[in-house]
């Protein structure tokens, strides 16, 4: 949903900026990629924040951390090339840093978020490289559940006895 909304925002911005679909196509595509990741990160951050807000004090910084995570991942993804296990692992580790920064203040188990995210993104890239649509669909359903369970484990025994 977030990525779809990002594409819609990019289309409106391209029209508002007077871009022509024929002569300005590289600019339009770049704008679409930027909005895809920005709005996508914002929507994912909001959904995760809704789930985390009761168990994570000051969870409001989760949304900007997630947006930063998505933008950083877009930069790495587009500069390092196509999906591979190495790029996926590096991307996942880099993506997780802003969220880890939020988590480590509230849980001694936050150390696991960086390798977990690296593993999850590496597996995603493996599925993408295989061009397996059933695998992509399955991953799209399983990944949020697995990440949610892992976050619950991280926050289960927080510092200070909350959550």
């Amino acid at each position: 949903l977030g990525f779809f909304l990002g594409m819609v925002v990019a289309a409106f911005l391209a029209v508002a900026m007077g871009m022509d679909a024929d002569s300005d196509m590289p600019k339009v595509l770049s704008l679409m990629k930027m909005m895809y990741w920005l709005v996508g990160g914002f929507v994912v951050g909001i959904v995760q924040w809704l789930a985390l807000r009761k168990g994570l004090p000051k969870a409001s910084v989760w949304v900007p951390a997630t947006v930063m995570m998505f933008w950083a991942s877009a930069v790495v993804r587009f500069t390092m090339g196509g999906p591979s296990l190495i790029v996926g692992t590096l991307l996942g580790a880099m993506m997780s840093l802003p969220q880890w920064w939020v988590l480590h203040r509230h849980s001694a188990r936050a150390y696991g978020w960086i390798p977990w995210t690296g593993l999850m993104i590496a597996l995603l890239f493996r599925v993408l490289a295989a061009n397996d649509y059933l695998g992509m669909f399955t991953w799209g359903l399983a990944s949020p559940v697995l990440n949610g369970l892992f976050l619950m484990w991280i926050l289960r025994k927080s510092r200070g006895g909350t959550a």
Side-chain angles (χ1 to χ4, degrees):
L1 175 66
F3 297 120
F4 172 74
L5 292 174
M7 300 300 271
V8 171
V9 169
F12 279 116
L13 285 174
V15 169
M17 293 169 31
M19 291 184 181
D20 183 287
D22 294 325
S23 61
D24 294 325
M25 188 49 77
K27 292 178 186 174
V28 171
L29 290 175
S30 294
L31 181 63
M32 288 182 136
K33 286 178 185 177
M34 289 187 328
M35 290 299 109
Y36 177 87
W37 289 100
L38 175 68
V39 177
F42 182 74
V43 171
V44 168
I46 290 288
V47 170
Q48 289 178 339
W49 170 78
L50 288 170
L52 293 171
R53 70 183 190 272
K54 291 181 182 173
L56 186 64
K58 297 184 182 177
S60 60
V61 293
W62 188 264
V63 176
T66 304
V67 171
M68 285 174 39
M69 175 183 93
F70 271 72
W71 267 64
S73 69
V75 168
V76 171
R77 169 74 172 85
F78 294 117
T79 57
M80 294 185 77
S84 72
L85 288 176
I86 293 171
V87 171
T89 303
L90 291 173
L91 182 60
M94 189 174 133
M95 284 175 67
S96 64
L97 286 174
Q99 289 183 333
W100 170 83
W101 179 76
V102 175
L103 290 171
H104 90 280
R105 296 178 181 182
H106 307 289
S107 175
R109 294 181 178 186
Y111 64 86
W113 188 241
I114 293 172
W116 173 262
T117 306
L119 172 68
M120 296 298 279
I121 299 299
L123 292 174
L124 168 65
F125 273 29
R126 185 73 178 159
V127 170
L128 291 175
N131 253 345
D132 174 16
Y133 293 110
L134 179 60
M136 290 179 206
F137 177 76
T138 304
W139 184 254
L141 294 176
S143 177
V145 172
L146 293 172
N147 284 335
L149 291 172
F150 196 75
L151 280 170
M152 287 171 52
W153 175 79
I154 287 174
L155 294 172
R156 187 175 63 199
K157 291 212 176 201
S158 300
R159 293 181 184 149
T162 60

